[in-house]
Amino acid sequence: MFLPGIGPQRAGVLNRELGIYSLHDLLYHFPYKYVDRSRLYYVHEINGNMPYIQLKGHILSMETVGEGRSRRLVAHFSDGTGVIDLVWFQGIKYVAGKYNTRQEYIVFGKPTLFNGRVNIAHPEIDHASELTLSSMGLQPHYHATERMKRSYMNSNFIQKAISVLFNQITGEIPETLSPSIIAANHLMPLTEALRAIHFPKNPDELRRAQTRLKFEELFYIQLNILRYSQERQRKYRGFVFEHVGKYFNEFYHNNLPFSLTGTQKRVLKEIRYDVGSGRQMNRLLQGDVGSGKTLVALMSMLMALDNGYQACLMAPTEILANQHYETIKELLFSMNIRIELLTGSTRKKQRESILSGLLTGEINILIGTHAVLENTVNFAKLGMVVIDEQHRFGVAQRARLWSKNFNPPHVLVMTATPIPRTLAMTLYGDLEVSVIDELPPGRKPIVTVHQFDNRRKSLYDSIRKQIEEGRQVYIVFPLIQESEKIDLKNLEEGYQHICEEFSGYTVCKVHGKMKAAEKDAEMQRFISGEAHIMVATTVIEVGVNVPNASVMVIENAERFGLSQLHQLRGRVGRGADQSYCILVTSYKLSEDTRRRLQIMVESNDGFKIAEADLKLRGPGDLEGTQQSGIPFNLKIANLARDGQLLGYAREVAQAVINDDPEASKPENELLWKQLKSLRKTQVNWASIS
Ligand code: ADP
Ligand code: MG
C-alpha cells in the first residue's frame, strides 16, 4: 500500500487484523456507524442510556480522586444547565495539563452511569472556536482492533487515510453494475456511493449510498447462487431412486425402536420425493438438537441402498463419527448391511480393507470424518451423502464429495443451528429446506435459570444433588481468540476450583487448545460415565450425546451469543430426566444483556432464539462467519434488517438470468465479468452447493 503514514509495519497489521491488502480493500472498509455531530445536547437532558452525544461548555474545576488502580482525573463540566463529570483513568497528567477552566470546549463521548452518577469517560475534547457544528455532520466510525490501536491506528486514523486516498483518486472508480440496472433501480453510481459512504453530507445521501452498496452486495450473491443452480441443473442429472424396497421396509417394520414423529415422516416424504424426481437433491435438514435427525439420515441412506447405491455419512469430529457408527450399527442390528467407520485414526490394514470394500460395493454405508474426502476413497456407486452439523464443514469440502461418482450423489445436509429464512435464502439459495420442528415424545423441556455468581454455594449444592442422583454435569467457560490467554487462565482456575469443591468426584477437562488425542480421551471419560463433571470450552457444542448429563452450567454466560447458548443447552435434556441449564453471570450487566439472557430463560425454541439473536446482534456476529460456513462476509448489508432488499435483489437477479440464460447479451457483459471476478477472489463464494 502506498499511503502516507502506512508503512510496511502498519500495512502488515491491516492485513492481519482486517484483511486489508490493497487500496481497494481500504476503500471497501466501511464505517460501522455514524455519529451525528450536528447537534448539541444540554447537560440537563442527559441520562445513562444515550448514544454518543456532544456538549458545549466550560470546565469548572479538575481533581484527581481515588488511589492505585481506581485513581482517576475528574473534570466538572458545565454548560449552564447542569454539571457533569468527565473522567480519565489513563493519561491523567497529560490531560490535566492540556485543558483549563478559561476555554470553551466541545466535549464528545458516551454518557454512562458510574457510582450512581452520569459521567463521560475519556471524552474527545475540542476548542469550541475550532469546530463549527454545521461542517461536522455525520462522523464515520471505523472498526479498529486492539492490535491496530497499539500501532496507533484508530478510527480517526483510518478516516484520514481514506480521505487521503480519495484525494489521490482522480477520475471515476470503475462501475460494477450495468447502466440498465443502475437506471432501472434508481441507484447511485459507484464512485459517488463510495465517497458518500465515507463522507456523507447528510443522512439522506448516506441512505442512498448505503442502498446502492447493499443492493450490489446482495444482488451478486443472488446472481451467483441462481446462476450456479442453473448451471448445475443443466449439467447434472440426479440418480433416480425408484423403489422403496427391502431395506427400508425391513427397518421400518422390524428394527425401528419407536414410532416416527409426524415431522420425521413428513421430512422423509420430502426426501423421498426429491430422490425420485430425476433432479439431484440438495436438501438442508434443520432440526433442533435432539429432534431425531440421525434417524432421518439413516432412513434416507436406506433409500439409496434399496436402489443399489452406497451411502456415506460425514461428521465433523471423530467422536461424532464414532457415535453415529455405534448408533447406526445398533439400529441396523441383524440386517444384512455392511457398515464401516473411516476416520483419521483408522489403522492402515483396516483402512485398506475399507477402501477395497467401497470399490467392490461390498460396503453399503460408510461413516466417517474428513477422512472420507481423501482422493484414495472411491466408491463403486455412491448415491447418497449425508453431512451432519454442516457448519463445521467448509463449502469446498462439500463440493469434493460430488466428484466421488460420475453424477453428484444426492446430498442431505443436517444442522441444529436454526437458520432464519433470510439467512437460509442467502446462504443456500438453491437448497431445499426441511425443518423438524417437533421433539420426540416424552422429553421434558430443559429448565433454564439465570444466576448471579455470588450465589455459588447454592449452585454447587444443586450440582452435588444431581451427581448424587447419578447424573453428570457440564461446566462451560468462554474461550475466544481475542482474550485467549485470560480465558484459558479462567478455565484453568475454574477447573482447579471445581476439583477442590468436588474433591470426592471425578472431574475431566476439555478445551480446544489440547491435542486431539488428549481431548478425545478426556471426552471419552465423560461419555463412559467415569467422570462426573466436565469442565470445558465450547468444543462440546456440536453433536455430542451423553443422555445421562442433566446439568449445563455456563460461566460468563453474557459472553456467548444466544444461538451458541442454545446449542450448548442442547447438550443436556437428551435423556428422560429433568435437565437444567444454569446461566451464570456477574451482577453487573447491561440492560441488553439482561434481555438476552431473559430470552434464554423464557424460550426453548431454537428458531425464536435465532431470530432474536439475529435482531440483537446482526448476522455478522453469527459465531464468526468463517467458522459457521458462511461462504462470504457481508460488508454492508445486514440480513436481519435488509430482508426486503434481499428479496428485491433476488428478483432482479432472477430477471437477468431469465432474460439472458446464455449469459451472452452485451448489456449484461459487465455483470457476468464482475460475477466471474468475484467468484475468483472469494474462493468459497463460487461453490455454494
Ligand atoms: P439430533 O437431531 O440432535 O441429531 P438425535 O438423532 O441424536 O438428535 O436424536 C436424539 C434422541 O432421540 C436419540 O436418542 C434418538 O434415538 C431419539 N429419537 C429419535 N427419533 C425418535 C422418535 N421418533 N421417538 C422417540 N425417540 C426418538
Ligand atoms: Mg445429531
Side-chain angles (χ1 to χ4, degrees):
M1 264 196 271
F2 303 97
L3 277 183
I6 304 186
Q9 194 265 339
R10 279 180 167 170
V13 176
L14 282 178
N15 295 170
R16 282 192 303 279
E17 296 296 297
L18 297 180
I20 293 178
Y21 287 90
S22 63
L23 295 178
H24 175 273
D25 292 343
L26 185 62
L27 210 50
Y28 277 81
H29 181 59
F30 299 143
Y32 70 95
K33 72 172 179 197
Y34 301 84
V35 174
D36 186 357
R37 296 202 65 172
S38 59
R39 156 153 198 212
L40 277 178
Y41 286 79
Y42 292 111
V43 171
H44 73 83
E45 303 177 82
I46 295 172
N47 59 51
N49 289 324
M50 290 176 136
Y52 284 83
I53 56 154
Q54 58 191 349
L55 304 163
K56 185 170 167 180
H58 289 88
I59 292 173
L60 304 178
S61 62
M62 286 198 234
E63 57 183 323
T64 46
V65 293
E67 286 303 324
R69 288 218 308 182
S70 66
R71 198 171 113 90
R72 58 199 185 271
L73 175 69
V74 177
H76 306 291
F77 182 88
S78 172
D79 63 358
T81 72
V83 179
I84 188 172
D85 288 347
L86 314 178
V87 183
W88 289 266
F89 299 93
Q90 278 128 35
I92 291 179
K93 226 168 124 190
Y94 170 78
V95 174
K98 186 164 177 195
Y99 304 111
N100 58 52
T101 54
R102 297 176 302 278
Q103 284 279 350
E104 191 179 35
Y105 294 112
I106 287 188
V107 168
F108 175 74
K110 184 165 168 31
T112 47
L113 215 51
F114 182 77
N115 284 346
R117 289 173 56 125
V118 180
N119 65 32
I120 301 180
H122 288 257
E124 276 178 38
I125 299 187
D126 292 290
H127 289 270
S129 56
E130 288 169 13
L131 279 180
T132 51
L133 284 179
S134 60
S135 72
M136 294 186 56
L138 294 167
Q139 187 187 61
H141 281 240
Y142 294 88
H143 178 60
T145 64
E146 283 309 314
R147 267 185 214 140
M148 288 171 61
K149 285 176 194 158
R150 261 180 266 140
S151 301
Y152 303 100
M153 291 192 285
N154 57 11
S155 174
N156 264 333
F157 176 88
I158 295 175
Q159 189 189 2
K160 285 203 188 94
I162 292 175
S163 159
V164 170
L165 176 55
F166 264 108
N167 289 336
Q168 288 180 0
I169 295 174
T170 47
E172 301 275 297
I173 297 163
E175 182 55 66
T176 44
L177 284 172
S178 64
S180 60
I181 286 195
I182 290 178
N185 301 290
H186 311 287
L187 297 170
M188 208 183 236
L190 181 64
T191 309
E192 201 182 318
L194 285 174
R195 197 176 287 273
I197 202 83
H198 292 292
F199 308 103
K201 288 200 201 71
N202 54 57
D204 185 54
E205 191 193 48
L206 174 61
R207 227 174 354 259
R208 296 201 336 111
Q210 285 171 327
T211 304
R212 143 80 205 212
L213 294 166
K214 285 179 183 181
F215 174 88
E216 169 168 353
E217 190 165 53
L218 297 170
F219 170 79
Y220 277 111
I221 288 171
Q222 294 304 322
L223 191 68
N224 182 51
I225 292 173
L226 294 170
R227 176 93 177 118
Y228 201 72
S229 93
Q230 180 207 28
E231 282 167 2
R232 200 180 61 212
Q233 275 175 23
R234 269 197 217 176
K235 241 196 330 233
Y236 303 116
R237 305 256 322 129
F239 300 123
V240 184
F241 296 172
E242 283 175 348
H243 323 284
V244 173
K246 187 167 125 264
Y247 291 125
F248 191 93
N249 287 327
E250 187 186 342
F251 178 79
Y252 190 77
H253 294 297
N254 302 339
N255 284 41
L256 190 62
F258 27 63
S259 34
L260 294 174
T261 64
T263 328
Q264 283 171 324
K265 281 188 191 156
R266 194 198 70 227
V267 170
L268 279 166
K269 266 195 202 128
E270 289 167 352
I271 292 170
R272 165 88 196 104
Y273 173 80
D274 280 357
V275 297
S277 72
R279 282 183 305 118
Q280 182 239 352
M281 175 175 82
N282 250 306
R283 190 169 276 281
L284 177 71
L285 175 59
Q286 297 187 2
D288 218 338
V289 279
S291 61
K293 294 187 292 293
T294 314
L295 208 56
V296 173
L298 172 58
M299 294 181 75
S300 308
M301 293 197 286
L302 294 180
M303 291 180 199
L305 268 54
D306 275 337
N307 290 272
Y309 291 91
Q310 294 161 295
C312 174
L313 189 159
M314 190 160 82
T317 63
E318 286 208 6
I319 291 206
L320 278 180
N322 256 313
Q323 227 168 51
H324 278 310
Y325 176 69
E326 296 297 338
T327 314
I328 290 177
K329 211 166 65 173
E330 202 177 303
L331 284 166
L332 295 180
F333 174 73
S334 88
M335 288 178 69
N336 183 23
I337 291 175
R338 183 161 164 209
I339 162 172
E340 293 290 349
L341 176 71
L342 183 70
T343 69
S345 41
T346 306
R347 291 282 149 77
K348 188 154 179 268
K349 214 147 164 224
Q350 173 72 359
R351 193 184 150 80
E352 276 162 10
S353 128
I354 291 175
L355 293 186
S356 80
L358 288 172
L359 266 182
T360 58
E362 284 160 64
I363 295 176
N364 307 98
I365 296 178
L366 180 68
I367 294 180
T369 54
H370 293 85
V372 306
L373 293 174
E374 277 162 31
N375 288 334
T376 48
V377 181
N378 289 301
F379 294 80
K381 219 180 163 191
L382 180 63
M384 168 75 74
V385 169
V386 180
I387 303 175
D388 195 18
E389 305 295 355
Q390 138 292 328
H391 59 289
R392 289 288 171 100
F393 283 107
V395 177
Q397 289 164 328
R398 228 183 304 163
R400 264 164 80 181
L401 276 165
W402 285 30
S403 59
K404 302 245 175 235
N405 204 342
F406 61 92
N407 264 348
H410 296 296
V411 177
L412 180 68
V413 175
M414 306 197 290
T415 176
T417 312
I419 304 175
R421 245 198 77 72
T422 38
L423 198 53
M425 187 164 143
T426 316
L427 300 183
Y428 315 105
D430 69 327
L431 273 192
E432 309 289 329
V433 180
S434 291
V435 179
I436 302 188
D437 49 9
E438 170 187 24
L439 291 183
R443 295 274 172 80
K444 294 200 184 77
I446 302 163
V447 172
T448 303
V449 289
H450 175 195
Q451 196 160 73
F452 296 118
D453 59 6
N454 54 8
R455 301 200 46 219
R456 281 204 181 263
K457 182 157 176 346
S458 86
L459 173 65
Y460 290 151
D461 286 346
S462 33
I463 290 179
R464 207 164 279 121
K465 200 157 145 268
Q466 287 286 313
I467 300 178
E468 288 301 324
E469 287 175 21
R471 307 280 97 80
Q472 290 165 280
V473 177
Y474 294 104
I475 301 178
V476 175
F477 286 81
L479 178 67
I480 58 169
Q481 223 174 358
E482 283 84 68
S483 50
E484 196 176 277
K485 267 205 191 117
I486 302 170
D487 286 351
L488 278 172
K489 190 161 150 270
N490 284 344
L491 173 81
E492 203 48 54
E493 282 170 7
Y495 173 70
Q496 294 302 343
H497 182 67
I498 295 290
C499 286
E500 281 159 30
E501 186 71 32
F502 293 90
S503 54
Y505 303 104
T506 311
V507 185
C508 66
K509 179 178 68 177
V510 177
H511 59 79
K513 293 278 137 190
M514 288 159 76
K515 296 230 167 65
E518 195 187 349
K519 199 162 74 186
D520 282 5
E522 284 291 283
M523 206 91 116
Q524 211 52 52
R525 281 177 42 179
F526 192 69
I527 292 173
S528 71
E530 181 202 329
H532 303 98
I533 299 176
M534 174 150 114
V535 175
T537 57
T538 50
V539 287
I540 54 158
E541 191 182 331
V542 169
V544 175
N545 192 16
V546 182
N548 192 46
S550 66
V551 181
M552 167 66 65
V553 177
I554 303 175
E555 296 281 350
N556 291 112
E558 74 276 9
R559 292 183 49 202
F560 294 88
L562 287 186
S563 296
Q564 209 176 8
L565 288 175
H566 183 65
Q567 290 281 312
L568 284 168
R569 178 167 64 181
R571 297 302 112 221
V572 296
R574 315 199 121 221
D577 308 294
Q578 178 61 59
S579 295
Y580 304 90
C581 173
I582 298 154
L583 307 171
V584 184
T585 70
S586 78
Y587 193 74
K588 274 200 244 159
L589 286 181
S590 71
E591 204 36 54
D592 255 19
T593 311
R594 258 173 230 273
R595 225 180 312 138
R596 293 196 315 125
L597 295 175
Q598 195 53 32
I599 293 171
M600 289 302 297
V601 171
E602 283 165 11
S603 178
N604 261 313
D605 179 339
F607 279 88
K608 219 167 119 184
I609 290 167
E611 290 282 354
D613 204 19
L614 195 57
K615 284 231 171 68
L616 286 169
R617 307 202 309 158
D621 298 337
L622 210 94
E623 266 97 64
T625 37
Q626 286 310 324
Q627 180 196 318
S628 53
I630 296 177
F632 44 80
N633 280 315
L634 289 172
K635 281 200 160 50
I636 182 164
N638 177 322
L639 294 176
R641 276 178 237 128
D642 299 324
Q644 224 178 353
L645 190 61
L646 173 66
Y648 181 69
R650 187 180 176 86
E651 279 170 33
V652 176
Q654 186 66 62
V656 168
I657 286 185
N658 293 346
D659 177 57
D660 187 11
E662 302 297 328
S664 58
K665 294 201 173 171
E667 71 259 34
N668 294 329
E669 201 185 318
L670 180 61
L671 300 182
W672 302 123
K673 219 177 84 197
Q674 181 69 7
L675 181 62
K676 210 164 145 190
S677 88
L678 286 172
R679 281 186 176 184
K680 215 181 302 161
T681 50
Q682 306 185 1
V683 187
N684 286 334
W685 225 69
S687 49
I688 303 168
S689 60

